Amino acid sequence: MTRVILVGSGRMGTLLSQAIEADKDLELAGTYDVTNVSELDDEAPAADLVIDFSNRDALPHTLAYVRRSRAALLLGTTGFSEGELAEVRALGEATQVIWSGNYSLGVAVLRHATRLAAEALPGWDVEIVETHHAQKADAPSGTAEMLLREVDPAGERTVAYGRQGMVGARPKGEVGMHSLRGGTVAGTHEVHLFGTDEELCLTHRASSRQIFVTGAIAAAKRLVAREPGFYTFDELMFAE
Amino acid sequence: MTRVILVGSGRMGTLLSQAIEADKDLELAGTYDVTNVSELDDEAPAADLVIDFSNRDALPHTLAYVRRSRAALLLGTTGFSEGELAEVRALGEATQVIWSGNYSLGVAVLRHATRLAAEALPGWDVEIVETHHAQKADAPSGTAEMLLREVDPAGERTVAYGRQGMVGARPKGEVGMHSLRGGTVAGTHEVHLFGTDEELCLTHRASSRQIFVTGAIAAAKRLVAREPGFYTFDELMFAE
Amino acid sequence: MTRVILVGSGRMGTLLSQAIEADKDLELAGTYDVTNVSELDDEAPAADLVIDFSNRDALPHTLAYVRRSRAALLLGTTGFSEGELAEVRALGEATQVIWSGNYSLGVAVLRHATRLAAEALPGWDVEIVETHHAQKADAPSGTAEMLLREVDPAGERTVAYGRQGMVGARPKGEVGMHSLRGGTVAGTHEVHLFGTDEELCLTHRASSRQIFVTGAIAAAKRLVAREPGFYTFDELMFAE
Amino acid sequence: MTRVILVGSGRMGTLLSQAIEADKDLELAGTYDVTNVSELDDEAPAADLVIDFSNRDALPHTLAYVRRSRAALLLGTTGFSEGELAEVRALGEATQVIWSGNYSLGVAVLRHATRLAAEALPGWDVEIVETHHAQKADAPSGTAEMLLREVDPAGERTVAYGRQGMVGARPKGEVGMHSLRGGTVAGTHEVHLFGTDEELCLTHRASSRQIFVTGAIAAAKRLVAREPGFYTFDELMFAE
């Protein structure tokens, strides 16, 4: 039985808490959010794993607890500075650590398949299309940018958005990026690769945030069975 | 047997000529292109129908022949001035006339279905996505603009291209327009309509220019059976 | 303000009740389910509209109330006998009545667009694909069968399911029907029409049952503004 | 400069011959078909590579030439017996040999991505959908069966075709297989993987047989640069 400390709040906090309680291999040792995470400094319960889906303000308390207890750490918070990320990474020398901005298993496979396809089909034209609900405030989505990095790890290619009034052929190597917005769509990402007389399209369609919870729990279970180290989601979920 | 004069050249001229010859109801009375269409002024063969897929330079000769002979006229040329179009339209008082920029039956149904859907679902968010080969020089495609007019006949809505770096929710009523370019794609058009918890997507996929020929021939056969008048492709193909 | 009596229970009953209360034009005059719908016989509140999404056992009480009060009737129950349906239909002589097995606006537009396309493209090959969650017990879905009737109103065509081990070309006029099952998909329906070198695909994607509620409420508002008669969902939502 | 002997005829033979002549790294040393391939036994030109896309009758002559000359061998013919395949495989001890039933680069990536996804998402429901022109005589397609083997290498799962009149939930582990037929579609293959609240769809769309030629030429170039051995298309195209 793996004892889990959860740091998180809001919708994701609730979903994670429910998932931990429903899982026969996991036991909830304590739940914290940004307002009381400092309690971890003094009188924290014993735990094998900390799951932190809160925000960067909680980070010092989470890291201190992990450093002391050598509990494994699964981090889902984003927006860290480079220095903070380095600190997280360094903790991998003492215990098992994973940080990811997206714990969806399907998105991870999409990323992996995108890298595979882009490497195997270097001359093919690539276009990325993402669709989200009308209220989403930014474009393109963070996941679309992750997919762009799979296509272009070196960040060397130009990116075309929408192509209004384009004159002339598509520049070779350009990557197209298109953000559709409408209704209540939870999130769809498509990577199109176009060759001569053939086309490959890799699509992921989410219908709720539950998928991030499911993926985080699956990653957590693999994490606690590993040696100390800093792992990517891909390493935990796909490597031998 | 309908006798046909064909004015056209290039790939479309060849395909039309082959299609007319292969059709048991049609007989090719003569073939002209821009270089010799003036021969129609003097010694033109008798015909029941003129099909003109050339360019605006041929128009005076084509119109003069039709005016004299009262042959029906199917016009597939684009780029006319308003004055030229008015002249074409006026000819509908004397004989059967149709002009369209796209004789694909499937695209016509897509346009019709788009109008139907946009009218029936007035509050839904609309996004148009078109995909063409990497060599296509303009964006968005003419057909995508036709689809936009079906969604927004009054031309009142703002159009968003790609949405790079958008901040804030999608403005209500906005229409998104996205041009994918890659490989050798002959032409795909998608109209997405997004409501609350549901989505409609109307897609047309072309794999060759043969479809424009097939549609023009089908329209021509319906045209010659009608009363004099200026018809749209929709009126001929869908109305009772 | 339209006063509404709701007969229904379960998830759909709750969603309908919430939608009526949230609507500024509607007022909930009373809520019943199968266990107490007989109360409508004696001491029913005054109402302009009855919405019945329960089951056939409630029908006699609902019909008796409507007959007496001349309230409009929106019926979403399925599984009626021919005799029961005839009774519902007959009530259209006295008041406004609508019965439909699917009040999704998007599905209605899909059906309408399917009929439009099938009529406009009579020689094209049609294949229907529906996708639902892994727990759905029947195949094909009722909505897929509605779509089949749009393609083939006379019920004259043969239907091919899956085509395992087919030998020889696809029989002309055959309609293909394919039921995908997996995960938690709420419901996707695709109608593919294939011509020579072109293809039309009409897709509806639902992500929750809320869409049936939204459509029923929209239909109800149009119903109460009409003359007495038995209406289809299409007549209310699309006709002038 | 790689000197190539081509054994092949028909449409594929012509396309291969054109591709070899257009390639600056390849030189056509001789072209044979089934009627004259026996000439290879006597007076064959020197060559570094034999490309055989003919049929099994040519095999003895092709193999004898390769055995003698130690030229590399790219084989695209299908329908071999187990004994013939063993002979081909054995030749890998002397020179570089590849045999594949499908040299499309895009299909290879689809297969690879399918294997990746099926392994990474073991509990997800899988459905395979393939679409081909109305004249295709068999179903499912050979490529769809290749995809099925990627999903289920051990051949342990049951396969459901179409699911007509299914009663009850989808059996866990079942794979759905759906063959759409219509129009002139060159070939589309989709692998759908359904999880809880998310879905992955991998699609390949071909628009001509040119893709098999392009892939065979690319594989040939990699083959001649390798050590002797029997290679799969995947090993040549994707492995380090």
Side-chain angles (χ1 to χ4, degrees), chain C residues 8-219:
Chain C
S9 59
R11 180 84 183 122
M12 276 302 287
T14 306
L15 290 173
L16 279 163
S17 161
Q18 288 169 349
I20 292 164
E21 288 182 335
D23 194 303
K24 65 176 176 26
D25 299 331
L26 304 179
E27 184 180 23
L28 199 54
T31 306
Y32 301 83
D33 63 21
V34 148
T35 66
N36 68 348
V37 65
S38 62
E39 292 175 15
L40 280 181
D41 300 344
D42 313 314
E43 39 172 348
D48 309 297
L49 170 70
V50 178
I51 295 181
D52 185 344
F53 262 76
S54 59
N55 67 42
R56 61 190 294 189
D57 294 339
L59 192 67
H61 309 288
T62 295
L63 293 189
Y65 177 84
V66 168
R67 215 171 271 124
R68 261 192 345 263
S69 67
R70 304 267 165 132
L73 172 62
L74 182 143
L75 206 53
T77 315
T78 55
F80 293 136
S81 70
E82 282 303 309
E84 285 162 338
L85 263 180
E87 222 181 323
V88 171
R89 236 176 264 271
L91 206 51
E93 287 167 26
T95 187
Q96 309 99 302
V97 177
I98 174 174
W99 171 77
S100 171
N102 188 323
Y103 284 93
S104 150
L105 209 51
V107 165
V109 175
L110 175 64
R111 285 174 39 218
H112 206 108
T114 297
R115 187 164 61 236
L116 164 83
E119 284 175 7
L121 306 167
W124 289 35
D125 300 318
V126 181
E127 304 269 317
I128 298 171
V129 181
E130 53 98 351
T131 307
H132 284 86
H133 54 88
Q135 301 312 311
K136 185 169 172 63
D138 56 320
S141 68
T143 301
E145 287 178 336
M146 283 167 53
L147 293 168
L148 176 60
R149 283 193 295 274
E150 300 292 344
V151 171
D152 178 29
E156 295 167 341
R157 302 193 182 192
T158 58
V159 179
Y161 297 84
R163 294 207 180 80
Q164 176 182 21
M166 181 181 77
V167 175
R170 180 191 200 279
K172 205 67 200 167
E174 183 179 279
V175 179
M177 180 72 85
H178 309 270
S179 298
L180 279 64
R181 293 289 174 268
T184 57
V185 177
T188 302
H189 290 87
E190 306 164 37
V191 180
H192 297 262
L193 299 105
F194 299 96
T196 301
D197 290 349
E198 62 181 320
E199 170 189 349
L200 207 60
C201 178
L202 314 174
T203 305
H204 180 266
R205 200 178 294 276
S207 62
S208 85
R209 293 167 81 174
Q210 181 61 41
I211 63 172
F212 306 116
V213 173
T214 307
I217 297 295

Side-chain angles (χ1 to χ4, degrees), chain A residues 125 127 131 134-139 161-170 178-185 194-195 197, chain B residues 125 127 131 134-139 161-170 178-185 194-195 197:
Chain A
D125 300 318
E127 304 269 316
T131 307
Q135 301 312 312
K136 185 170 172 60
D138 57 321
Y161 297 85
R163 296 208 178 77
Q164 175 182 20
M166 182 181 76
V167 175
R170 181 190 198 282
H178 309 268
S179 297
L180 279 65
R181 293 290 174 267
T184 57
V185 177
F194 300 96
D197 290 350
Chain B
D125 300 318
E127 303 269 316
T131 306
Q135 302 311 311
K136 184 170 172 63
D138 57 319
Y161 297 85
R163 295 208 180 79
Q164 176 182 18
M166 182 181 77
V167 175
R170 179 190 199 282
H178 309 269
S179 297
L180 279 64
R181 293 289 173 269
T184 56
V185 176
F194 299 96
D197 290 351

